Amino acid sequence: TNADGLADGWTNDAALSAVANAIDTSNEIFGSSCQKITLSADGEGGNYAEITVAAGEALFVAGYIKAGDTDTTGELYVDWRDNTDTQISTDSVGTHATTTTTRKSAVLTAPANTVKARIYITVAGVTGKLAYFDGIEAIDLTELGALDPVRQAKYGVTNWEDLTEEQLEAEIPYFD
C-alpha cells in the first residue's frame, strides 16, 4: 500500500545505515511515483526485493537512478544468497552521482550455491543525502528460455540469455 513510504515488495535493510523512505510523485519516470531514499545517518542505506534464482541462471537487472546532488551516490546492485541466507557475493549493476536520471542495467550470472538474489537500491553519503529510484526490474533470462522464431532470426541466437545487454534493452521495456 506504500503507506509506510516504502514501495510494495521492498524491505528496508536495517543492517545498513538508517534511511527515511518516501513515495515521490515529482521525479518518477514511469507511472505516478518512484522510491525516494534519504539517509538518516552517514554511510550507505537502502532497501531490497528478493527473488528466487538458481546457480548459473542469468538475470537482467535494470533501473533508473537520480541522485539528489553530486555528493550523493545512488546504487543498484545484486546480493547473491545461499540456502542459509548467507551472502555469497555482490555484483554492481551501476551507480549514479548526478542530478539527471540515468538507466543502469547488467546481465549477471548467479554464482554457485545461489538460491535467491536481493536486488538492492541504496544511497551513499552523509545524513540528509538522497536518491530516487524507478523502473527497477530483475528478469530471469534462463527461466524465459528460448526466443521466439522472429527474435532468433533477428539476433542469430536461440535463448533469451544469449542476447547482449544492448539487445535486451531493446527487447525488454519496463512496464509500471
Side-chain angles (χ1 to χ4, degrees), residues 57-81:
E57 291 186 340
L59 286 185
F60 176 68
V61 182
Y64 291 85
I65 305 170
K66 177 182 178 181
D69 60 38
T70 56
D71 292 327
T72 307
T73 301
E75 183 172 14
L76 173 60
Y77 67 88
V78 177
D79 182 28
W80 306 103
R81 297 280 171 151

Side-chain angles (χ1 to χ4, degrees), residues 46-156:
N47 311 308
Y48 65 86
E50 286 187 342
I51 61 168
T52 301
V53 63
E57 291 186 340
L59 286 185
F60 176 68
V61 182
Y64 291 85
I65 305 170
K66 177 182 178 181
D69 60 38
T70 56
D71 292 327
T72 307
T73 301
E75 183 172 14
L76 173 60
Y77 67 88
V78 177
D79 182 28
W80 306 103
R81 297 280 171 151
D82 68 14
N83 63 355
T84 65
D85 202 31
T86 301
Q87 179 189 51
I88 297 169
S89 63
T90 301
D91 285 321
S92 178
V93 175
T95 61
H96 191 60
T98 66
T99 58
T100 58
T101 303
T102 190
R103 182 168 168 87
K104 298 292 183 179
S105 65
V107 177
L108 306 170
T109 301
N113 301 315
T114 298
V115 298
K116 65 181 172 181
R118 285 186 177 176
I119 313 303
Y120 270 91
I121 53 175
T122 64
V123 178
V126 297
T127 301
K129 297 298 182 180
L130 59 92
Y132 303 92
F133 299 87
D134 202 7
I136 307 299
E137 57 187 340
I139 299 169
D140 189 332
L141 300 173
T142 305
E143 190 175 275
L144 287 178
L147 291 166
D148 59 82
V150 173
R151 287 186 177 104
Q152 286 180 11
K154 180 178 179 180
Y155 296 114

Side-chain angles (χ1 to χ4, degrees), residues 8-38:
D8 291 342
W10 291 83
T11 302
N12 177 252
D13 192 334
L16 299 176
S17 294
V19 299
N21 286 296
I23 302 301
D24 182 85
T25 58
S26 59
N27 291 281
E28 73 279 354
I29 300 296
F30 300 101
S32 60
S33 61
C34 65
Q35 184 67 58
K36 176 182 176 184
I37 303 173
T38 305

